[in-house]
Amino acid sequence: MKVKLVVASGVHQGREIPIAGQEFVIGRDPQCQLRPSSPAISKKHCAIILRGNKVFVRDFGSTNGTFVNGEPVSGEVEVKNLAVLKAGPMDFRIGIESEEPVKVAPAAAAKPKTKAKEEDDDFAAFLLEGDTGPAPPVPEGSTIMEMGAIKPPGEGEKKPEPKKAAEADTRSAAADILKMYQRRPRT
């Protein structure tokens, strides 16, 4: 549960003060969490107390009193979300956000599926299935498309590069081997 004080009036109207811990004390004493400098606030004026899932305001017998929704607090009272707290000249709204778990609707009460939703579910199930039989054959060939280079206008044709020595040696060696087999007598 998250609890905060929101300043309801004055220069700091709208400012939020988060309540940390189980007890948040308002007063002029140095050990209080909120220490207004007003003489209308007692040294230990009042406290916001978190107990279980409930929020309480306790007055410590302050001189000018503590009020919740216009009613004086004697001892301790439980407060609800957006209750107005008045301590001396200060006015606050108490903001309470409960952290209840989100309830999931049962499957029977779920909305009927649309055609598109059913198709999406079917496709998701197909993707998640383990063995769906033999895989289709992979087509042979290259996926690389070879395209001739386009020459920019005005650029002349280039001379072919001379063959590399290793490439020339390989070709001549292959030609020599072929000649040798071609001259061989047949039996």
Side-chain angles (χ1 to χ4, degrees), residues 19-165:
I19 306 296
Q22 299 298 313
E23 186 174 87
F24 185 87
V25 181
I26 300 171
R28 290 180 300 144
D29 190 82
Q31 294 190 9
C32 295
Q33 283 79 19
L34 181 61
R35 295 184 295 276
S37 60
S38 172
I41 301 290
S42 300
K43 281 194 171 205
K44 197 170 178 186
H45 196 96
C46 65
I48 291 102
I49 301 166
L50 303 160
R51 192 177 312 123
N53 287 332
K54 296 182 179 183
V55 180
F56 300 89
V57 171
R58 177 186 293 160
D59 181 71
F60 294 116
S62 61
T63 305
N64 293 312
T66 302
F67 300 86
V68 172
N69 295 329
E71 298 292 321
V73 175
S74 175
E76 186 176 286
V77 296
E78 183 180 351
V79 293
K80 301 292 181 189
N81 187 33
L82 301 178
V84 177
L85 170 66
K86 183 167 178 61
M90 301 182 312
D91 295 318
F92 300 99
R93 285 220 179 265
I94 301 173
I96 303 169
E97 294 178 29
S98 63
E99 296 176 354
E100 294 179 15
V102 177
K103 294 180 181 177
V104 178
K111 293 180 182 178
K113 292 183 179 181
T114 62
K115 176 84 171 146
K117 177 70 175 148
E118 286 178 8
E119 288 173 0
D120 288 347
D121 289 347
D122 290 344
F123 186 68
F126 167 75
L127 291 175
L128 294 173
E129 286 178 359
D131 184 20
T132 58
V138 177
E140 292 186 24
S142 174
T143 58
I144 299 173
M145 182 190 302
E146 295 181 15
M147 296 177 59
I150 300 174
K151 296 179 185 176
E155 185 177 313
E157 292 196 24
K158 295 181 181 180
K159 295 179 184 176
E161 293 183 24
K163 294 182 182 179
K164 296 180 183 175

